[in-house]
Amino acid sequence: MATPNIKRKRLVEKSLPPKIETYIPESRLFTQLQALERRLDTKIVRKRLEVQEALGKPVYKKRVLRIFVSNLAANQSGAPALLGADDLDEGRFGAAEVPSWTLRVEGRLLDPSGTTSKARSTPHKFSEFLNSLTVELERNPDLYKDNLVQWRRAAAESDVDGFEIKRRGDEDVKTKIILDIRTAADRFKVNSPLLRELLDIRGPISKAGFIMKMWQYIKFNNLQDSNDPDQIRCDVGLAQALGSNVVSFTTLPQMLHVFLTRPDPLVIEYTVRVNAGDFHMAQYAFDVEVEIEETSRHNIGPLANVQARHRELAQLENQLAQKMEEIHNARTKRDFLRSFAEDPVAFVHRWIDNQTKDLEVILGDRRHGLEAALSAIMAADSSAEQMTAERQKALEKETAKWLKESALYDEPWADEAVFHYLSAKTQERMQQLLQAQHQQGHAQQQQQQQQHSALGN
């Protein structure tokens, strides 16, 4: 199995060479831009996490729910002026002749202005926006027993576009329709008029929103104690509302909880009319603001161009890498020429010495460490056994040279080099094992095919 050629991304040196500011003072601007880039990267990472968290949460938008109330009357023309419950039976009038009426409560979600037929979302049912519905009928309890009708949301119940209540009767009936509107988040009513005025609360609010309003009021009026930030020094209005001049931050949420109650339901009063024709509708429709979940997130503003911005940044990074490589090459060339200009003879000797060492390493003739030191000692001993000073000098020279060269492997790159070397060897061994396994499986398959062919013959 051939190993795929994986193109590794080259590491880019983004820092300027040392002492470059001495020759190019404008390079300080690049250093300042790098510091600004690091701060921007930190903020971008934090904002990206916030955006990801926000996208994971459902988003709700406000829409208008219009509620219609109407009723139908049936078999009223031939009925007596007043009938009791005992008279309204099928025995005297028949099933098709009993006077009756039907109360209807319906709702429809209004489309925002400018919405086209293609842009309309999935239609919503009326009961989706209700927690409960209660209808109270003002009828004689001695004649009619079922004067209270209730509906409450159930988990497994299907949503409907409206509700119908059918009753027998031949006279107008006053009704009271009580609707408990369902909200996306739990919202409450602040039952203290003074707190509503101080915190500028105009409608139902969540617990978190209520606490945030209180915190904004405390910060705006500078009510936090400078010596003890946990203590709040209430002003006249807040002290009157909370009943205390000093309040602790730890007890504030518990104190505010007593001011929250369930919001008032929507109450609609309607009169069922049976003598004004077969159909009668209320004079007004009722608009209620509700919250629905935003299902489509294709247009999310600046986030729509994130991929294009990433590509543009990648191109700029490549251009920066090329410029930095040119700067480093120019600095190396400058140091090379400057060293030659200052002392040409010494420069040539150093250059020849380095080239000689590199050639020895390439050819494998160069000996390192204790091997070179022992060779020098043996050479000194063979030339003159009594030259102790020369022997000592050769030993010190080779030992210092060996220590200098061994210090090279103490640098930070040595660990990384060993890691990459071992990783490459591990990958090579894995490829060999996979190739051997593949060959073994192929051989077994060929052997099975040969056995099948032999059995067939």
Side-chain angles (χ1 to χ4, degrees):
M1 181 182 296
T3 304
N5 295 326
I6 301 175
K7 185 177 180 181
R8 296 184 179 180
K9 187 176 180 181
R10 182 179 56 182
L11 296 178
V12 180
E13 178 63 41
K14 294 185 179 181
S15 59
L16 289 173
K19 299 182 181 180
I20 196 69
E21 296 181 1
T22 307
Y23 313 107
I24 309 176
E26 293 81 0
S27 62
R28 297 178 182 176
L29 297 176
F30 181 76
T31 305
Q32 295 174 1
L33 285 175
Q34 283 185 319
L36 178 61
E37 183 185 17
R38 286 192 292 269
R39 293 197 297 269
L40 284 177
D41 289 340
T42 303
K43 292 184 178 294
I44 288 173
V45 170
R46 185 170 66 250
K47 290 298 181 182
R48 183 181 300 172
L49 294 176
E50 293 177 359
V51 169
Q52 291 177 353
E53 183 181 359
L55 291 177
K57 296 180 180 179
V59 178
Y60 298 93
K61 61 181 180 180
K62 294 184 179 181
R63 296 279 295 275
V64 176
L65 176 66
R66 180 160 293 177
I67 301 175
F68 304 91
V69 182
S70 61
N71 74 273
L72 291 172
N75 303 320
Q76 300 293 331
S77 58
L82 181 63
L83 295 176
D86 297 335
D87 298 329
L88 295 177
D89 55 7
E90 298 179 4
R92 295 190 56 183
F93 291 96
E97 299 179 358
V98 174
S100 63
W101 50 264
T102 302
L103 175 66
R104 290 182 177 178
V105 183
E106 302 167 303
R108 181 171 62 88
L109 199 64
L110 300 184
D111 294 326
S113 58
T115 303
T116 60
S117 58
K118 294 182 179 180
R120 288 179 180 174
S121 58
T122 306
H124 294 269
K125 301 291 187 179
F126 175 49
S127 61
E128 290 183 32
F129 307 102
L130 300 179
N131 287 324
S132 64
L133 181 143
T134 304
V135 179
E136 298 178 358
L137 306 177
E138 294 186 8
R139 300 191 299 177
N140 188 350
D142 297 332
L143 299 177
Y144 305 98
K145 304 298 183 183
D146 49 352
N147 293 331
L148 181 65
V149 180
Q150 290 183 332
W151 172 87
R152 294 188 182 278
R153 168 170 293 278
E157 187 176 3
S158 301
D159 293 311
V160 294
D161 288 324
F163 299 90
E164 289 187 355
I165 301 173
K166 186 174 182 180
R167 294 291 184 269
R168 296 178 179 180
D170 59 346
E171 58 181 353
D172 296 347
V173 179
K174 292 183 178 181
T175 63
K176 182 182 291 186
I177 304 169
I178 303 173
L179 301 171
D180 183 9
I181 305 299
R182 186 183 182 187
T183 57
D186 289 336
R187 298 185 180 275
F188 301 90
K189 173 186 175 182
V190 180
N191 55 22
S192 173
L194 182 56
L195 270 182
R196 289 201 302 267
E197 185 67 24
L198 288 176
L199 305 182
D200 192 22
I201 299 175
R202 303 301 179 187
I205 191 172
S206 63
K207 291 182 179 179
F210 186 33
I211 295 176
M212 180 59 66
K213 286 274 190 181
M214 177 62 71
W215 169 244
Q216 292 174 353
Y217 180 84
I218 293 171
K219 293 292 291 184
F220 182 78
N221 294 279
N222 196 19
L223 302 181
Q224 198 170 7
D225 195 339
S226 57
N227 297 324
D228 187 3
D230 188 58
Q231 300 296 324
I232 302 172
R233 303 291 178 181
C234 301
D235 56 7
V236 178
L238 191 59
Q240 183 178 357
L242 299 180
S244 177
N245 294 324
V246 180
V247 179
S248 175
F249 258 117
T250 56
T251 60
L252 183 61
Q254 185 176 1
M255 292 182 62
L256 296 180
H257 181 72
V258 299
F259 296 100
L260 298 177
T261 57
R262 295 294 302 174
D264 297 331
L266 175 63
V267 179
I268 301 175
E269 294 184 353
Y270 175 77
T271 301
V272 176
R273 302 187 182 277
V274 297
N275 55 1
D278 294 337
F279 178 76
H280 177 71
M281 178 173 282
Q283 185 178 1
Y284 303 102
F286 304 88
D287 289 346
V288 182
E289 192 176 62
V290 295
E291 296 177 343
I292 63 173
E293 184 175 354
E294 183 70 39
T295 56
S296 176
R297 293 190 180 184
H298 299 294
N299 185 15
I300 51 178
L303 296 178
N305 299 324
V306 168
Q307 297 298 331
R309 295 296 183 185
H310 279 314
R311 289 192 294 268
E312 184 178 354
L313 287 176
Q315 294 177 359
L316 293 176
E317 288 285 347
N318 292 332
Q319 296 177 8
L320 177 61
Q322 295 176 0
K323 296 299 181 183
M324 295 301 298
E325 186 175 0
E326 293 176 2
I327 291 175
H328 282 276
N329 292 337
R331 176 184 177 274
T332 303
K333 184 177 179 180
R334 177 189 175 279
D335 292 342
F336 181 86
L337 296 176
R338 184 176 181 180
S339 178
F340 177 75
E342 291 176 352
D343 191 353
V345 177
F347 174 81
V348 171
H349 284 299
R350 287 195 302 270
W351 182 77
I352 293 175
D353 187 30
N354 292 332
Q355 294 295 323
T356 304
K357 292 178 180 179
D358 293 340
L359 183 60
E360 290 177 355
V361 172
I362 293 173
L363 298 177
D365 295 336
R366 190 178 182 190
R367 292 173 293 181
H368 300 273
L370 292 176
E371 183 181 359
L374 292 175
S375 299
I377 295 172
M378 293 174 64
D381 289 341
S382 61
S383 60
E385 296 181 357
Q386 303 299 326
M387 296 175 64
T388 309
E390 184 179 354
R391 176 182 178 184
Q392 184 68 23
K393 184 178 179 181
L395 178 61
E396 292 178 354
K397 182 179 178 180
E398 291 299 327
T399 303
K401 189 177 180 181
W402 169 64
L403 292 175
K404 182 179 179 180
E405 293 177 353
S406 64
L408 181 66
Y409 299 98
D410 293 334
E411 294 184 2
W413 63 267
D415 294 337
E416 185 177 359
V418 172
F419 171 76
H420 286 295
Y421 175 77
L422 295 177
S423 299
K425 288 297 182 181
T426 304
Q427 292 292 335
E428 183 180 356
R429 182 57 179 166
M430 289 179 62
Q431 294 296 336
Q432 293 176 357
L433 293 175
L434 290 174
Q435 187 175 3
Q437 184 179 3
H438 178 72
Q439 293 177 354
Q440 184 179 2
H442 185 66
Q444 291 179 355
Q445 186 177 4
Q446 289 182 348
Q447 185 179 1
Q448 291 178 359
Q449 290 178 357
Q450 292 176 0
Q451 292 177 357
H452 287 301
S453 59
L455 292 174
N457 294 331

